Amino acid sequence: MASLATHLSAFLFLFPTGLRRLLCSSSLYLKNPSLYRSKTWYFSEPRWKNLDLYALIIALPLSSFSEFFLFLTFSGPPTYSFAFFQQSAVVFLFWVLILLIIFRENVDPLYVNEGFVFVFAGISFLAEFSVIGKGITGLSGSVYDLLGALTLICAGCCLYLSVRPWAFFAEFLLSSGLIFKGTWILQSGLSLYTDTFALKGCQKISTVPANDGADVRCDLEEDGLRGVALMKLLFIGHAIGVFVLIFVLFGLLSSNRKLRFGEAGGPLLAELDSEIMLVRDGAELEME
């Protein structure tokens, strides 16, 4: 992460994506838990309602190129500079993932197994985990360690869904993880990359030649220790806020059918209805 702008961009993609997955998956699960299956992406009709997905097709390669350009032009410590190249490669992986999802949606699904797409998503998250916080040390490094933990949870959920797509709890954790990642990335950007929201006694992140990396500069060692404790407390606060939001939304969807995603129709529920009909027909044939 190079600036507040990149953190804000990540938040604008992760938070809505996680929220959309939560609403769509919960709506399908509540309609018929026994026939629920997770999907790599929950498409909507008409097509314009999938603008968030198509925006990623444009935004991700631009982001990858900008990170690669920073790698070529940055004159700071080599470790911190090379982190830009690693981040560029990870963003490119997620772009390929989006292309796989769209390709599978527009051609025969048999050509691209949905389990394979989930595995690729898990590998992409693991690649992201391996580069999070590279070239960043000290207090800032501890902040990115927490972000890495959330990324690892997302990776585990994707790999689990590749073999057990009916596991709603894994989908629930994946959606929650994406929402949580979005809010924590925004918090990290505000706390580490701005003077306005900087931690007390510390300045915004900058390169530290002596450590061959980057970190926030604190006036006293006590300020740094207090900053670490405060960021961990904020992390707990974010966790509580996110899970309260998630359970409130799930409760509203459970009690009010009109709030459920696509309750009036759409490809997801049409597909689920067809599966229900097949099960009923099979049951009737057995009875005969």
Side-chain angles (χ1 to χ4, degrees):
M1 301 295 180
S3 67
L4 176 62
T6 55
H7 286 73
L8 180 60
S9 300
F11 166 77
L12 292 175
F13 287 123
L14 286 170
F15 187 84
T17 299
L19 196 60
R20 177 189 173 90
R21 287 195 69 90
L22 176 68
L23 293 173
C24 295
S25 61
S26 298
S27 297
L28 286 178
Y29 179 78
L30 291 169
K31 187 175 180 67
N32 196 317
S34 62
L35 293 179
Y36 170 79
R37 285 181 68 89
S38 182
K39 300 180 181 299
T40 52
W41 193 274
Y42 295 90
F43 286 89
S44 304
E45 292 291 348
R47 292 280 183 175
W48 64 265
K49 290 187 177 181
N50 302 305
L51 281 177
D52 51 347
L53 178 65
Y54 299 123
L56 287 173
I57 298 176
I58 301 173
L60 289 180
L62 291 176
S63 176
S64 178
F65 175 77
S66 65
E67 295 283 357
F68 185 71
F69 180 76
L70 286 172
F71 163 68
L72 295 176
T73 58
F74 189 74
S75 58
T79 303
Y80 189 60
S81 175
F82 187 66
F84 290 120
F85 174 76
Q86 294 174 310
Q87 291 163 9
S88 174
V90 168
V91 174
F92 180 79
L93 271 180
F94 279 105
W95 182 59
V96 173
L97 172 64
I98 297 298
L99 293 180
L100 275 175
I101 292 172
I102 294 176
F103 178 76
R104 185 179 186 279
E105 177 66 16
N106 290 280
V107 300
D108 190 340
L110 294 177
Y111 289 132
V112 182
N113 184 271
E114 194 161 36
F116 169 76
V117 180
F118 270 121
V119 170
F120 191 90
I123 292 173
S124 299
F125 278 117
L126 288 175
E128 181 189 6
F129 171 75
S130 68
V131 305
I132 285 180
K134 289 292 184 181
I136 298 177
T137 60
L139 191 160
S140 305
S142 66
V143 173
Y144 283 106
D145 286 343
L146 296 172
L147 182 61
L150 295 175
T151 303
L152 205 56
I153 290 174
C154 292
C157 290
C158 288
L159 294 175
Y160 191 80
L161 287 171
S162 69
V163 294
R164 299 181 67 86
W166 55 86
F168 178 70
F169 78 91
E171 174 65 49
F172 190 81
L173 280 178
L174 176 59
S175 303
S176 305
L178 292 173
I179 295 172
F180 199 169
K181 275 192 68 177
T183 62
W184 188 245
I185 281 178
L186 181 61
Q187 180 67 63
S188 302
L190 292 173
S191 299
L192 301 180
Y193 292 87
T194 65
D195 290 321
T196 305
F197 297 97
L199 299 169
K200 184 178 180 182
C202 301
Q203 302 174 2
K204 66 180 182 180
I205 195 169
S206 59
T207 56
V208 183
N211 295 334
D212 195 26
D215 191 13
V216 296
R217 296 185 179 181
C218 299
D219 299 330
L220 300 172
E221 183 179 355
E222 289 77 7
D223 293 330
L225 295 174
R226 182 175 61 245
V228 172
L230 178 60
M231 292 306 295
K232 289 182 178 180
L233 184 62
L234 284 173
F235 185 81
I236 295 173
H238 275 259
I240 294 173
V242 167
F243 279 100
V244 167
L245 170 66
I246 289 170
F247 282 109
V248 167
L249 287 176
F250 190 81
L252 290 174
L253 291 174
S254 300
S255 60
N256 192 337
R257 292 173 60 91
K258 294 181 180 179
L259 295 178
R260 296 178 189 177
F261 181 87
E263 187 63 36
L268 293 177
L269 295 176
E271 180 181 340
L272 186 59
D273 288 336
S274 66
E275 292 176 351
I276 294 174
M277 291 300 297
L278 288 173
V279 171
R280 287 177 178 173
D281 292 343
E284 291 174 358
L285 288 172
E286 289 178 1
M287 291 178 64
E288 292 176 357

